[in-house]
Amino acid sequence: MNRTLVAIGVFVVLLGVAIWYFSNIFIYLTISLVLATVLRPMTSQIVRFEVFGGKVPRYIAIFGSYAVVLGVLALFLVLFIPLISNQLEVLASLDFSVVFDSLVQPVRWVETFLINNRLSDGPTGFMVDSVRKGVVDFIHTMDFTEILNQLISFTGNFFIGVLAVGFITFFLLYENGILRRQVIAVIPNKYFEVFISALYKIERLLSNFLLGILFQMISIFSIASVGLSIVGVNYALTIAVFAAIANLIPYLGPLLGGIFGIAVAVSTSGDFTFNNDTLILIAKVFSVFAVVQAIDNLVLQPLIFSKSVKAHPLEIFVIIFVGATIAGIPGMIGAIPVYTVLRVSSTEIYAGFNQYRVFKIKS
């Protein structure tokens, strides 16, 4: 048993080093596995169709699944095109001096309050001048050449990633179960039963998790779009789509969705002054996202995390922040699936040592 534990420990360490060293490939493979899991039912259904007396070839079914995904993405882009066009028109017609005066109005209120209550000895307008100086200094220190280079680099890496993910996903779908067969082939016979049990539980929990995430996104989109439409916010569907996608980022996602909703609502209203109408509009958007957040925290997340991956909410909270510390936003998104795999694997190995005779041989 000691030799087995050492072998397992060495394997885990080597696997961790390999994942760290080939992190890009690991990320592409992980995304491809998720996409293959999502697209496999659709691909299998298309294969069953009969055309001219024969079944649809699997490679054509895969391209059909890709076409559906591209169609959904195109639909999302169509939702954002009017908003982007509107924002460009707004930016072209803006008087930035007026906008700046409007944005610093709350600073003036705070400054007046401090001076009237003798909480500050600074001259009138010193806070506004400080904000203006800070904005000017920030603009002057920006390296637009570096920003352009970073943008070009990101675009190149993004397209390389898309091609890699598409290629890997195609073969995972075409050779259905190829990855599982390759992994099973290298498992020694005496560990086969434990491994198959762990693999089955991991696949079941991750499938439940993905279905739960899909249900969460649809629910958030529905609630946000209906709520924003009721309060009369422009581009309610576009804001709801962004909120649903942003919600993939635990804890931070709902905040991003709310900020985006408020920014779109204010910018499309055409009024950049902090008057009562603007404050009421912000309050309306805030109230909608408060309801969305409450339903997500009280209903959706317990249903998805506690039921699908069988983990306590506090446990989920800690794991997400560990993922954020290790890899930022991608770590937050991938923390739960990775933790599920590790937890189920360790649980099954522990159960194997206690229950299966093969682990006790030559111990």
Side-chain angles (χ1 to χ4, degrees):
M1 183 169 61
N2 291 333
R3 291 180 180 178
T4 303
L5 287 174
V6 171
I8 292 174
V10 171
F11 173 77
V12 171
V13 171
L14 292 177
L15 180 62
V17 172
I19 290 174
W20 174 78
Y21 190 76
F22 301 101
S23 57
N24 287 342
I25 298 176
F26 176 73
I27 291 173
Y28 296 155
L29 181 60
T30 302
I31 296 174
S32 299
L33 285 170
V34 173
L35 286 177
T37 302
V38 173
L39 295 179
R40 185 171 290 113
M42 185 190 308
T43 302
S44 300
Q45 187 63 38
I46 296 175
V47 169
R48 296 190 186 99
F49 291 155
E50 292 190 3
V51 179
F52 302 112
K55 292 185 177 180
V56 177
R58 190 165 186 84
Y59 70 91
I60 294 180
I62 295 171
F63 286 128
S65 300
Y66 279 10
V68 172
V69 173
L70 292 176
V72 173
L73 293 177
L75 181 60
F76 287 160
L77 291 177
V78 168
L79 285 175
F80 280 90
I81 287 175
L83 175 60
I84 295 173
S85 176
N86 176 272
Q87 295 304 296
L88 291 176
E89 292 177 1
V90 170
L91 289 174
S93 61
L94 274 182
D95 184 347
F96 286 97
S97 61
V98 175
V99 174
F100 180 81
D101 290 339
S102 173
L103 293 177
V104 299
Q105 186 63 43
V107 179
R108 289 194 179 97
W109 293 342
V110 173
E111 181 185 51
T112 301
F113 175 81
L114 294 176
I115 293 175
N116 290 340
N117 291 275
R118 298 181 180 180
L119 299 175
S120 173
D121 296 329
T124 303
F126 79 98
M127 293 183 67
V128 175
D129 291 338
S130 299
V131 172
R132 181 181 287 107
K133 183 178 182 302
V135 172
V136 172
D137 291 343
F138 173 75
I139 293 175
H140 287 167
T141 56
M142 290 178 64
D143 188 346
F144 291 99
T145 303
E146 180 64 22
I147 293 175
L148 181 60
N149 291 334
Q150 291 292 336
L151 181 60
I152 294 174
S153 175
F154 170 80
T155 303
N157 292 333
F158 175 78
F159 280 107
I160 291 174
V162 169
L163 291 175
V165 169
F167 184 80
I168 297 172
T169 304
F170 177 86
F171 281 98
L172 289 177
L173 290 172
Y174 188 75
E175 298 288 345
N176 194 16
I178 182 175
L179 192 61
R180 179 195 292 180
R181 293 194 298 270
Q182 294 297 325
V183 174
I184 290 177
V186 300
I187 300 299
N189 289 335
K190 65 178 182 178
Y191 306 135
F192 186 79
E193 185 176 354
V194 176
F195 178 80
I196 290 298
S197 175
L199 183 62
Y200 169 76
K201 290 182 179 180
I202 289 171
E203 289 181 341
R204 180 168 54 84
L205 290 176
L206 290 181
S207 297
N208 292 340
F209 177 74
L210 290 176
L211 290 174
I213 290 295
L214 180 61
F215 174 73
Q216 183 187 33
M217 293 177 65
I218 294 174
S219 300
I220 289 175
F221 169 77
S222 302
I223 298 169
S225 59
V226 171
L228 294 172
S229 299
I230 291 175
V231 300
V233 175
N234 296 326
Y235 301 101
L237 291 179
T238 306
I239 297 173
V241 168
F242 181 87
I245 297 174
N247 206 72
L248 289 173
I249 307 173
Y251 304 112
L252 183 60
L255 178 61
L256 293 176
I259 293 174
F260 179 78
I262 292 174
V264 171
V266 173
S267 63
T268 56
S269 68
D271 188 358
F272 292 92
T273 59
F274 280 90
N275 52 34
N276 290 335
D277 292 337
T278 303
L279 294 177
I280 291 173
L281 180 61
I282 293 175
K284 288 179 179 179
V285 178
F286 178 81
S287 63
V288 171
F289 277 95
V291 172
V292 170
Q293 182 69 2
I295 295 175
D296 185 37
N297 289 338
L298 298 177
V299 179
L300 298 178
Q301 289 192 21
L303 179 65
I304 294 170
F305 295 144
S306 299
K307 302 297 182 182
S308 63
V309 299
K310 310 294 183 183
H312 191 275
L314 180 59
E315 190 178 0
I316 296 297
F317 179 84
V318 173
I319 293 303
I320 288 174
F321 273 87
V322 170
T325 302
I326 295 174
I329 291 179
M332 296 178 72
I333 297 174
I336 302 304
V338 171
Y339 174 68
T340 299
V341 172
L342 295 177
R343 181 167 57 87
V344 173
S345 300
S346 60
T347 301
E348 289 301 309
I349 291 174
Y350 178 78
F353 278 112
N354 289 325
Q355 298 175 12
Y356 299 129
R357 180 176 176 273
V358 292
F359 287 102
K360 299 179 181 179
I361 297 176
K362 298 181 180 180
S363 59

